Amino acid sequence: MNTEAAAYFSRELLGWYRENKRILPWRMNRDPYRIWVSEVMLQQTRVDTVIPYYERFMEKFPTAAALAEAPEEEVLKAWEGLGYYSRARNLQAGASEVLERHGGVVPDNKDAVSSLRGVGPYTAGAIMSIAFNRPEPAVDGNVMRVLSRFFCLEDDIAKPSTRVKIEKLAQSLIPEGAAGDFNQALMELGALVCTPKSPGCLTCPVMAHCEGRMAGKEHVLPIKTKAKPPRPETRLAALIVGSGEHAGKVLVRQRQSSGLLARMWELPHVMGPTEPFGSAARSKGRGRRKSIAAAGTEVSGESLLTADSTAAAAEGTEPPFLQTTQQQGIAPGGGGLVAGGAGTIGADADRQTAHAAHVDMLCRELFAQDGLLVRPTGWWGEAEHVFSHIVWDVQVYRAEFGYWLAEESALEKPDYGGSAVNGDSQLAAESGVSYETGNAEEGAATPPQYRWIGLEQMRELAFPNVFLRLLRDYWETADGFTD
DNA sequence: AAACCGTGGAC
DNA sequence: TGTCCAAGGTT
């Protein structure tokens, strides 16, 4: 590579940055903890989205020690809505390591920083360079785009090997004693000028020697293979409003310790029919009639039984409300988030049939998986939720609480994690209402991952956005007298 | 290497 | 309305 061009690039870019850098909350000082938090929040997340979260987070957890000692629930709540929630739990785990192994001080040592949970090659480089001015590269999407264009690199930036290659290049470009500013300059240029769609070459400080532009490839670079589209899933959720001592409260549950939305709270729900049903599927005109006819006409047929519910039937744990539910049919519920959308009598009939099949499945699976017996009373609404790799079509049904199956009969016992560090397992005991019995003779204790909550407890528990929207909509429209 | 992990803005 | 993708990390 041309040493002259490299020196030019670094010099001009650094000069440009020092004149044009944005004022951002994490640029107030070089406190490595503040830098660390900002870099984790900024992973796959835009600056404008991060700023308010960052301000609140730093006020609540101003030091690594404060973060380490906070209840996990509070940390997740502070992260609620930001997404990629393992970032929050990893950050707290990292803070605990810093507290225990480094006396609460983020170490000025690349290997030590890299070993922290949730700190990968980019974040380690960012912390080392920005907080400690160490000459380490910090290669993110911006950097790969900027360098791909300037040096006209046609490697696929979706490949891990490309990041490694660009890291070496980036490190070679760091000006003496200016690692922090230079790395930030690279990212700032990518964010403000050398943007993905329409790069602002005319205002670019290094346009004159940009090989990508000189080759007329500024709109083609960087090369990046397309991501696989997310797979559709139908989710059947239960909006269970309590009566008696739980009047006006809703039954929610906490997800297990790993995987999607780990440790977040949600409405109880189960996987629906494989064929999509909701608005997303309808708008694409895919397989609607077929799936509904197949699922609906034979409500209690073998085709609907999963392995779990078949096992439940074999063990005599078939939910007793099923037959009653089917005979009653499903009446349209009120307060839906999304209008039905079916314009014809026939479509309405199809919807009713699909709802009946959903209700059957929801009832069976909640009973089989969690020993929770409910009686659905009507369709309530739906919501779409797009993850990176999945699209949920959530169909929400209102239901009345029946009872909890005695614990000995529970068919599955997933890991719900109770963190030893922060004493989550004490939450149930502190709440004082976790083990009361249901209202049926068979009634057993509420399982530890479930809670009855009112609107007030929404402030304490962290929900992913899809359930946040559904629950807020419920609290707004609930009349407080029925159910 | 490839899949898994959220969410919202911009165009 | 669909598509891209953002200061990525873990498994």
Side-chain angles (χ1 to χ4, degrees), chain A residues 365-413:
Chain A
E365 291 302 318
L366 278 182
F367 193 74
Q369 292 171 22
D370 289 358
L372 169 58
L373 193 288
V374 301
R375 189 170 69 84
T377 58
W379 182 76
W380 187 77
E382 76 174 322
E384 186 187 68
H385 194 60
V386 181
F387 299 93
S388 311
H389 57 306
I390 310 173
V391 181
W392 275 359
D393 174 30
V394 185
Q395 297 291 329
V396 186
Y397 295 88
R398 268 207 166 196
E400 294 172 359
F401 176 74
Y403 59 83
W404 296 104
L405 189 63
E407 192 178 339
E408 306 80 55
S409 308
L411 300 177
E412 292 181 12
K413 297 198 179 297

Side-chain angles (χ1 to χ4, degrees), chain A residues 25-27 29-47 49-68 75 78-79 82-84 87-96 98 104 106 113 116-119 122-124 126-128 130-132:
Chain A
W26 43 89
R27 288 180 176 166
N29 57 45
R30 286 172 42 186
D31 176 354
Y33 170 71
R34 291 178 58 92
I35 304 296
W36 178 17
V37 172
S38 75
E39 291 302 337
V40 173
M41 278 195 178
L42 286 162
Q43 289 168 7
Q44 300 292 287
T45 311
R46 289 183 158 71
V47 166
T49 303
V50 164
I51 289 175
Y53 281 89
Y54 182 78
E55 302 278 21
R56 273 183 268 122
F57 198 92
M58 294 312 301
E59 190 166 333
K60 206 165 172 48
F61 313 109
T63 64
L67 178 58
V75 179
W79 212 271
L82 254 191
Y84 286 136
R87 289 184 297 173
R89 297 184 302 119
N90 286 339
L91 182 58
Q92 189 180 28
S96 293
V98 165
V106 178
V113 167
L116 298 172
R117 294 284 296 174
V119 176
Y122 164 75
T123 305
I127 294 172
M128 294 312 297
I130 300 173
F132 302 117

Side-chain angles (χ1 to χ4, degrees), chain A residues 264-343:
Chain A
M264 300 292 282
W265 290 79
E266 64 183 3
L267 287 179
H269 63 97
V270 304
M271 182 77 77
T274 304
E275 267 309 290
F277 158 76
S279 56
R282 277 199 304 280
S283 67
K284 290 175 184 168
R286 219 191 316 131
R288 178 180 170 228
R289 169 170 289 281
K290 179 187 174 191
S291 67
I292 290 175
T297 52
E298 198 180 5
V299 168
S300 54
E302 283 286 329
S303 62
L304 282 178
L305 298 180
T306 66
D308 284 342
S309 58
T310 304
E315 295 180 20
T317 56
E318 192 73 0
F321 282 167
L322 274 181
Q323 290 190 336
T324 308
T325 302
Q326 293 313 323
Q327 284 159 7
Q328 286 183 339
I330 297 302
L337 288 180
V338 178

